[in-house]
Amino acid sequence: MEPAAPPKTFRVKSFGCQMNVYDGERMAELLAERGIVPAPEGEDADLVVLNTCHIREKAAEKVYSDIGRLAATGRRSGKTPLIAVAGCVAQAEGEEIMRRAPAVSIVVGPQAYHRLPDMLDTAVSGKRAADTDMPAIAKFDALPQRRKRGASAFLTVQEGCDKFCTYCVVPYTRGAEISRPFAHLITEAHTLVEAGAKEITLLGQNVNAWRGEDHKGRATGLAGLIHALAAIDGLARIRYTTSHPNDMEDSLIAAHGEVAKLMPYLHLPVQSGSDRVLKAMNRQHSAESYVRIIERFRAVRPDLALSGDFIVGFPGETEADFEDTLRIVDEVRYAHAFSFKYSPRPGTPAASMDGQIDPEVMHDRLQRLQARLGQHQFAFNRDSVGQTCEILIDRLGRDPGQWLGKSPWLQSVWLDQEHGHNHALGDLVEVRLADAGPNSLRGERTQVLFD
Ligand code: 5AD
Ligand code: SF4
């Protein structure tokens, strides 16, 4: 590689989950600390970070085509950007990327991106740099103070996964489960709130597996962390995602009845309603034990909005198995859900299982599942009509004077301008939910509570 001019501008493109969004923000903060600034909208950047996702589909192919496009644009303009590939594809296929894509200068895994500035120096000197080590905690210690501004912020508290569901690459790309220390998280949360965050979403691949010691040295789980965060003045809302049924502690369920700032929303993937499929997936819980957990949450928080993840077409899934999934959907009555066609991931046990499902069958099941999930989501929204609640304004609507925000149940609520009232991003506004659609609601303002 030729030596390159030190980049002045960067762009981070994040794909996939919320943790990748968080990682992308932290990489942007690292680069900004180096004096590199975000490229203005519509302009080519000197450094492009592709923060990739490996969970489904042909993610790797997408990365190669993005790299090809960046290199071609660079050739046309005479200014080829430095290209860094980060995220889970970098972790899983780093060597392959280096071999196949000479335009890539840097390959950095999700646990090593704190080294990005040093790797950039290497790249500028004309050498290529790759790092896919997994010292997860070292990364957090090495990252600079948060700079993120905005009303709703992510905070990674836990990373990695020891569950080894047979379809999933996460245990391989993100490594073993680790928890960030309590004190670091409290400090980061304070920084976010001082920068304007009213809502913090705690992130982890198994967020409810978070374990730590509180400021008095007592062992605590996620509930203890949530209680401590709730004491931060100015922080109005706490959320957490994604949980695993087997890590659910009584104290976390209880927290939903005790902590007013903890929003009435739970993302608890079940993947399938069939015990046979759950076993083949190595989920280590049954449909029944999952439903019992939900019932315990609802006993302390009857208005809880439930969200889940589903996979259709797992190898060997029969029509009867799929109907069990529809049954659990009806039983839980999800307010929101994500559903996917099974995608064989290289190196996972399920990829070599017998009984891979025909794509058309998969397609048909996904349509039917999504139709059913949609009915429940609409029903949940309709049942919310008439409630008074706070909306956290997070977007401007299409028309002037229109605002969009999130209800406590994470529904999108839009609000029209009335009587000259003006709102800003990050305002908490009390509304009466007036009309419901399948994907959003209309709120009527009652009064501004918080500016
Ligand atoms: N195929 C389809 N969906 C998957 N997920 C994880 N791995 C796969 C796969 N190989 C889904 C699961 C998980 C969500 C983040 O992505 O539903 O909960
Ligand atoms: Fe993947 Fe299962 Fe771990 Fe979730 S619990 S990250 S689906 S292995």
Side-chain angles (χ1 to χ4, degrees):
M1 282 213 138
E2 295 289 309
K8 294 198 182 68
T9 61
F10 71 87
R11 177 164 297 124
V12 179
K13 265 181 83 175
S14 287
F15 303 88
C17 66
Q18 290 159 327
M19 195 171 293
N20 253 15
V21 175
Y22 175 89
D23 290 343
E25 286 168 1
R26 309 270 3 222
M27 283 189 266
E29 286 162 0
L30 271 171
L31 296 170
E33 220 183 35
R34 276 293 180 103
I36 311 174
V37 300
E41 193 77 42
E43 277 183 32
D44 294 339
D46 302 335
L47 166 69
V48 178
V49 181
L50 300 173
N51 190 20
T52 60
C53 170
H54 202 41
I55 198 111
R56 281 176 298 275
E57 308 300 330
K58 303 187 173 65
E61 274 83 285
K62 207 158 93 210
V63 177
Y64 289 114
S65 77
D66 273 359
I67 296 168
R69 203 170 24 247
L70 285 168
T73 318
R75 273 194 300 276
R76 270 198 303 278
S77 66
K79 207 183 101 188
T80 310
L82 282 169
I83 302 174
V85 181
C88 290
V89 178
Q91 188 66 40
E93 305 208 357
E95 281 177 25
E96 172 85 359
I97 295 170
M98 279 300 201
R99 209 167 43 74
R100 260 180 67 180
V104 171
S105 302
I106 295 172
V107 164
V108 61
Q111 307 304 6
Y113 64 75
H114 55 294
R115 304 208 186 110
L116 187 59
D118 290 344
M119 299 173 82
L120 199 53
D121 290 342
T122 308
V124 166
S125 77
K127 291 196 220 66
R128 305 174 87 194
D131 193 339
T132 48
D133 281 355
M134 286 203 166
I137 282 289
K139 169 181 78 185
F140 289 110
D141 288 344
L143 290 171
Q145 273 256 329
R146 299 293 318 260
R147 291 165 181 240
K148 158 114 179 111
R149 302 200 164 267
S152 185
F154 292 133
L155 173 56
T156 293
V157 305
Q158 181 280 341
E159 251 192 276
C161 181
D162 300 337
K163 305 289 187 293
F164 290 93
C165 299
T166 53
Y167 50 82
C168 185
V169 286
V170 167
Y172 311 97
T173 59
R174 291 272 171 176
E177 289 180 6
I178 60 112
S179 296
R180 292 182 65 196
F182 179 91
H184 294 196
L185 297 171
I186 299 294
T187 305
E188 193 169 323
H190 273 286
T191 314
L192 290 167
V193 172
E194 277 154 27
K198 302 246 175 74
E199 172 176 274
I200 292 184
T201 301
L202 308 176
L203 296 181
Q205 266 95 29
N206 286 284
V207 71
N208 58 335
W210 182 87
R211 297 285 175 272
E213 281 183 6
D214 68 11
H215 49 278
K216 292 197 175 135
R218 290 173 303 206
T220 176
L222 193 65
L225 181 62
I226 288 171
H227 276 280
L229 291 170
I232 299 179
D233 281 342
L235 180 63
R237 293 178 160 195
I238 303 169
R239 303 179 182 277
Y240 60 94
T241 193
T242 292
S243 298
H244 192 288
N246 294 1
D247 291 319
M248 211 42 104
E249 289 192 313
D250 295 349
S251 55
L252 185 58
I253 299 176
H256 278 269
E258 296 160 356
V259 182
K261 292 182 182 182
L262 183 58
M263 291 294 103
Y265 186 93
L266 175 67
H267 181 65
L268 191 64
V270 67
Q271 316 295 357
S272 167
S274 152
D275 286 342
R276 219 177 57 79
V277 173
L278 288 171
K279 193 158 188 331
M281 288 176 163
N282 191 33
R283 288 289 297 179
Q284 302 184 51
H285 62 77
S286 64
E288 160 90 17
S289 66
Y290 174 90
V291 171
R292 293 286 90 84
I293 293 171
I294 305 280
E295 283 170 354
R296 290 172 56 211
F297 270 94
R298 283 192 164 137
V300 297
R301 191 72 213 221
D303 68 334
L304 191 78
L306 254 302
S307 160
D309 289 346
F310 297 88
I311 297 176
V312 298
F314 186 81
E317 184 188 70
T318 62
E319 177 62 23
D321 291 324
F322 175 68
E323 281 165 16
D324 286 342
T325 299
L326 293 178
R327 208 167 3 256
I328 204 168
V329 166
D330 290 342
E331 192 166 353
V332 174
R333 293 171 281 115
Y334 290 90
H336 190 74
F338 302 93
S339 47
F340 313 102
K341 290 181 196 166
Y342 167 70
S343 160
R345 309 312 295 140
T348 58
S352 51
M353 283 180 186
D354 291 339
Q356 301 285 326
I357 303 293
D358 185 88
E360 273 180 29
V361 173
M362 243 193 282
H363 180 78
D364 172 66
R365 288 182 188 163
L366 187 66
Q367 301 284 313
R368 287 156 64 201
L369 175 60
Q370 290 184 340
R372 189 72 63 94
L373 288 166
Q375 287 167 9
H376 288 290
Q377 180 173 316
F378 195 5
F380 186 89
N381 288 349
R382 277 196 309 264
D383 287 349
S384 309
V385 170
Q387 300 247 31
T388 299
C389 65
E390 282 181 356
I391 302 300
L392 180 61
I393 305 288
D394 60 1
R395 249 185 320 148
L396 301 180
R398 244 168 288 151
D399 302 323
Q402 219 185 44
W403 294 274
L404 275 152
K406 291 286 184 311
S407 76
W409 306 279
L410 211 59
Q411 297 148 301
S412 289
V413 179
W414 55 274
L415 195 60
D416 274 321
Q417 183 170 28
E418 301 153 48
H419 319 303
H421 287 295
N422 217 340
H423 302 300
L425 295 180
D427 283 353
L428 276 165
V429 181
E430 195 183 86
V431 302
R432 191 186 148 271
L433 299 174
D435 289 312
N439 299 308
S440 64
L441 294 102
R442 186 176 64 82
E444 285 167 354
R445 182 186 174 286
T446 54
Q447 59 176 117
V448 178
L449 292 182
F450 213 122
D451 274 315

